Amino acid sequence: MSDRGWEPVTLVPLGQVESDFTLSDSPEYSREAYHRESTVVIDPELEPALTGIEGFSHLIVLYYQHRKDEWQERVGWGKRGERILGLPTGPDGSGFRGILTTRAPARPSGIGLAVVELIERRGNRLRVKGLDAIDGSPVLDVRGYML
């Protein structure tokens, strides 16, 4: 148990992300990044769980930000393992914006979430557009999303 009385949570990934989205030297996501295609590869044993997913135009993808510590250190937002609560804003960096109000890949929980467009399914592989997870990110869950 933690000092707050919360039990630790153990998650088992369903698969992983194949993407050209990599760690960036810039803390800013570009609009172009959200139009890239990537692939969510689900464990082949779980392929039957995808039956009917083609009926959705969009999916919710939960993933683990497995390289968030490396990313935040690279962009100068703290040391490995340090919880980031806010980000500098403004041209001189003197402002502050709470981390939970951003899409920055330094979430306190390490859980990333994206609503993505489903382009196609081929077996256990889901080609999607708009996933901001970097290559190799463990996928925790996939759900159909209706707009």
Side-chain angles (χ1 to χ4, degrees):
M1 259 199 211
S2 76
D3 57 344
R4 291 184 185 90
W6 299 331
E7 294 289 332
V9 176
T10 302
L11 300 172
V12 177
L14 309 175
Q16 71 177 27
V17 174
E18 290 180 355
S19 171
D20 66 357
F21 209 121
T22 60
L23 291 177
S24 170
D25 291 328
S26 167
E28 299 297 322
Y29 283 126
S30 66
R31 282 195 158 309
E32 174 266 324
Y34 293 107
H35 298 285
R36 293 182 187 173
E37 290 186 10
S38 55
T39 303
V40 174
V41 182
I42 300 298
D43 181 328
E45 291 182 12
L46 297 175
E47 184 178 336
L50 294 172
T51 301
I53 205 156
E54 303 89 340
F56 294 93
S57 64
H58 290 75
L59 305 173
I60 299 169
V61 178
L62 287 168
Y63 59 93
Y64 182 66
Q65 296 169 330
H66 70 299
R67 294 180 67 190
K68 78 181 186 98
D69 288 345
E70 181 182 346
W71 180 85
Q72 73 187 44
E73 191 173 74
R74 178 179 275 196
V75 298
W77 286 355
K79 298 179 176 135
R80 288 179 188 261
E82 183 180 351
R83 276 189 159 179
I84 303 300
L85 302 180
L87 306 178
T89 61
D92 62 355
S94 64
F96 180 86
R97 185 167 175 194
I99 191 73
L100 298 179
T101 68
T102 73
R103 291 202 47 86
R107 319 295 301 169
S109 67
I111 295 175
L113 178 145
V115 175
V116 300
E117 181 181 354
L118 176 61
I119 306 299
E120 79 174 327
R121 172 189 172 200
R122 286 192 181 192
N124 66 323
R125 301 172 65 82
L126 305 171
R127 192 163 54 101
V128 299
K129 185 189 289 188
L131 182 57
D132 58 354
I134 65 171
D135 189 54
S137 295
V139 174
L140 303 175
D141 202 2
V142 175
R143 297 179 186 195
Y145 178 79
M146 293 203 267
L147 298 173

